[in-house]
Structure formats: C-alpha cells, structure tokens
Amino acid sequence: MTTILAIETSCDETSVAIVKNRQVLSNVVSSQIDLHQQYGGVVPEVASRRHVETVNWAIAQSLQDADLTWAEMDGIAATCAPGLVGALLVGLTAAKTLAMLHQKPFLGVHHLEGHIYASYLSNPTLQPPFLCLLVSGGHTSLIYVKDCGHYEILGQTRDDAAGEAFDKVARLLNLGYPGGPVIDRLAKSGNPHAFPLPEGQVSLPEGGYHPYDSSFSGLKTAVLRLTQKLRQESDSLPVNDLAASFQDTVARALTKRTIACALDYGLKTIAIGGGVAANSGLRQHLQAAAQSHNLYVLFPPLKFCTDNAAMIACAAADHFNRGHTSPLTLGVRSRMAISDVMQLYGKDEG
Ligand code: KG4
Ligand code: ZN
C-alpha cells in the first residue's frame, strides 16, 4: 500500500491530502472564493499570496487529521501543470522542499489527471479503459482513459470552457462569482424550455459538425442579446427561466457529445470530473441518456469534483506504484496537454 501526501494549489483552493492508494486518510481544502468574489474572478497574484499564507497550516492539518508522521509517507506530490504559474509554484516548491528534507520520492502531477482520479477515489474498483468528461472552469474535454499516464483527447471546447460559460452568464445576470452553483440553484425553479438557445457547434471544413468538440461562446452571446432585449421590455429579468434555459442547453450539448463518443469508441463507462460535474442538470441529462444506451456513468461526490488534493495524491500513488517519480528539477507549466503526462516522470527536465 502506497501512502502519498499531495499538495494542490493550481487555482483558488489550497488543498493538502494524504491518500493510501485509493483510500482518503485526510483531505484539507481551504477555498479562496470569498477573497476573489469582490473582483468577480480569480486574481492570480492574490491567489499566490493566499496559498503561501495557508499551505503550511494545511500540511500540518492534513498530517494531524490522518494521524500520520512523515516517516509513514512513501512519497510527496504536488500539482505542477496546468494552472496559474505563481499559484502552482507555491505547492510545488513546498512539496519539493519536504521531499528533500524527509528524503522521500517526489512526484509532479498533471491537474487534469487528478480530476480523472477523483473517479477512482469514489469507485476504487474502477479499471480503464473508460471515457472521462472533464468539465471545469478551464477545461471541457472528452478524454479516452487508456491507462495510468496514457490519455487521448477525443473532444474539447474550441472557445470557453463549460464552467467559464457558467461564470460569464452569471456575471451578465449579476449573480456573482462563481456562477455555476448559483445558476444551478436558480435553474431548479425555472423553466428550461422558456427560451430556446443555440447549443453551439463546431463546423468541419468538409461540411457537417465535429461530433465531440463543443463551443460555448455563441451561447454566451445569445444569452447576452436575450437579456438586453428582455431588459428593454421589462424592469425585472426572468432570471430563473434564463438560468434554467442556459443550463439545459449546456447539459444537452455535453450529453450529446459524451454519449456519441462513448458509443463510437465502444466505452461502456463514463466518468465525470471537474467543478461542472456538480451540475444537477448535467447529471440528470447524462444519467437518462446513458441508461437508454446501456452505458454506466460515474459521478464522484461533489467534494471530489471540485479542486482537491486527494485526487492528486491518488494519481501520484498510482504512478508511484508503477515506479514513476519526478526529478527535483521539475518546474511548473501554465499549459500542458494531458497526453504529455509521462513527460513528468523519469526524465530530468532541468
Ligand atoms: O474544477 P474546478 O473546481 O476548478 C477548475 O476550474 O479547475 O471548477 C470550477 C468551475 C467554476 O467555473 C464553477 O462555476 C463551476 O466549476 N461549477 C459549477 C457548479 N459548481 C461549480 N458549474 C455548474 N454547476 C455547478 N453546480
Ligand atoms: Zn480543477
């Protein structure tokens, strides 16, 4: 059994967790949302500073919650890509320093591979291959999970990520940040068919549409135009109906692509990851569509859908079990394709 302490600081959550293979022993998550709310989005410099202030406490708390000592760790891991460079540097530097100090192997982890591993945490018997729909503030990807470290992107967004679309639409409806949870809540008492909205499709040069890629910027513009028109007609906006119609459109678009992809590639299991996986509309649409095609959908609990270090530790444990470790010269990267994950292990990047 492999015990890993991992640190996640790629965006606006400072998180430290200890995982034994696929079992979570502690998972401390300190969210910075309150701090960034006043700016309507994450301010990178502010995020880095808060990570610095919080990370030592989170490490100590994680060890205390798990009731373990450094001697009992097999390795120390941190998210190293993709994400905000300054924010990533805080967790990565802390992990490398601790690895050196306690003479433990170090592992850098790709953030999106972490999101995939959230499904293993809640379904310890899950085995690849399967399809992962990763929907977060920065990504909307359909990933063919072949094995630990081996991934192929089959579909992605050409513009805004799904979570970004939720956040932007919430801003134009004056609902604050982050937009996903509030739109989800308001949509529950709205009519999803009140306003027909364009789902957004990606044209192919040879004609027709890309079956797995999505595009949400047109949908966002359509909501903008619609709200401008409604504001001219009345003083009060039908916010619940707008939220429900927008959410339903995103959920249908993602469901259509995910099911088509799973069927075309013969993948029976679909795992969902990222903050938007918390969305109740998406969950309902996917569940219903999967059932009618005899596919199986895994929804990790919400605490593992949004950013957390337990999913990072779980990915690191799997790599460690295969003999993968990272050089202490490993740096952070703001962007990195998930198909390049194996670059993080074994080779000296310095
Ligand atoms: O995975 P995550 O915590 O952070 C990264 O982007 O990596 O995802 C955050 C995103 C935000 O855009 C937020 O609005 C969205 O997930 N989100 C939701 C819901 N909860 C969070 N979107 C739709 N419905 C939700 N219930
Ligand atoms: Zn994330």
Side-chain angles (χ1 to χ4, degrees):
M1 287 294 237
T2 299
T3 306
I4 300 280
L5 179 141
I7 308 176
E8 153 65 43
T9 59
S10 67
C11 190
D12 61 348
E13 260 98 29
T14 316
S15 181
V16 181
I18 299 174
V19 163
K20 190 177 267 197
N21 277 359
R22 294 178 177 182
Q23 184 197 351
V24 182
L25 303 181
S26 65
N27 187 28
V28 178
V29 183
S30 170
S31 173
Q32 303 181 356
I33 282 182
D34 294 356
L35 188 64
H36 298 288
Q37 249 158 1
Q38 56 186 308
Y39 307 107
V42 178
V43 182
E45 207 29 60
V46 175
S48 313
R49 220 170 304 153
R50 179 55 71 87
H51 285 310
V52 171
E53 289 162 6
T54 316
V55 76
N56 285 334
W57 164 81
I59 293 165
Q61 190 64 47
S62 180
L63 283 163
Q64 192 182 323
D65 289 355
D67 196 20
L68 291 175
T69 62
W70 290 110
E72 291 165 286
M73 299 301 140
D74 293 304
I76 297 171
T79 309
C80 61
L84 303 171
V85 165
L88 285 166
L89 263 176
V90 178
L92 190 81
T93 309
K96 290 202 286 195
T97 308
L98 289 164
M100 256 188 287
L101 192 67
H102 298 289
Q103 312 247 306
K104 301 285 179 187
F106 159 72
L107 295 100
V109 176
H110 192 286
H111 183 74
L112 299 193
E113 189 174 34
H115 275 300
I116 291 170
Y117 270 78
S119 291
Y120 290 107
L121 285 176
S122 39
N123 304 276
T125 55
L126 175 65
Q127 294 291 344
F130 58 90
L131 182 67
C132 181
L133 169 66
L134 200 57
V135 270
S136 69
H139 301 271
T140 299
S141 309
L142 278 163
I143 302 168
Y144 185 170
V145 179
K146 297 178 175 176
D147 198 359
C148 170
H150 297 280
Y151 307 97
E152 187 185 344
I153 302 256
L154 300 177
Q156 53 197 328
T157 179
R158 295 294 179 99
D159 38 59
D160 293 345
E164 195 179 354
F166 272 93
D167 294 338
K168 286 180 176 171
V169 164
R171 194 177 312 159
L172 59 94
L173 296 176
N174 295 322
L175 299 175
Y177 172 86
V182 59
I183 288 187
D184 199 353
R185 184 166 46 79
L186 295 175
K188 291 197 168 79
S189 42
N191 173 8
H193 310 295
F195 303 105
L197 292 165
E199 148 192 325
Q201 290 183 312
V202 177
S203 303
L204 290 170
E206 62 271 27
Y209 298 103
H210 195 293
Y212 318 133
D213 279 358
S214 38
S215 163
F216 293 115
S217 71
L219 169 60
K220 175 194 64 195
T221 308
V223 178
L224 172 68
R225 298 263 149 76
L226 178 62
T227 50
Q228 285 169 337
K229 183 170 149 279
L230 291 167
R231 278 196 174 108
Q232 279 171 356
E233 290 168 3
S234 162
D235 285 342
S236 68
L237 268 186
V239 180
N240 294 11
D241 285 348
L242 283 166
S245 301
F246 164 74
Q247 176 169 298
D248 194 66
T249 309
V250 175
R252 273 188 289 108
L254 291 172
T255 299
K256 191 163 102 185
R257 285 154 182 75
T258 307
I259 299 293
C261 198
L263 293 175
D264 291 351
Y265 281 81
L267 297 166
K268 288 297 245 181
T269 304
I270 301 166
I272 318 295
V276 185
N279 187 263
S280 57
L282 177 61
R283 286 178 173 236
Q284 278 160 18
H285 276 278
L286 259 178
Q287 189 69 59
Q291 221 159 17
S292 69
H293 287 95
N294 283 324
L295 302 172
Y296 187 53
V297 199
L298 302 175
F299 295 102
L302 303 191
K303 64 178 179 199
F304 297 143
C305 286
T306 48
D307 288 351
N308 67 88
M311 65 187 194
I312 303 298
C314 187
D318 215 358
H319 279 288
F320 182 89
N321 288 339
R322 288 155 196 257
H324 305 161
T325 58
S326 305
L328 284 169
T329 48
L330 188 78
V332 299
R333 291 200 219 165
S334 62
R335 299 166 71 91
M336 183 182 179
I338 194 168
S339 45
D340 292 337
V341 159
M342 289 309 295
Q343 289 178 8
L344 301 176
Y345 307 105
K347 274 188 290 168
D348 191 323
E349 294 205 330

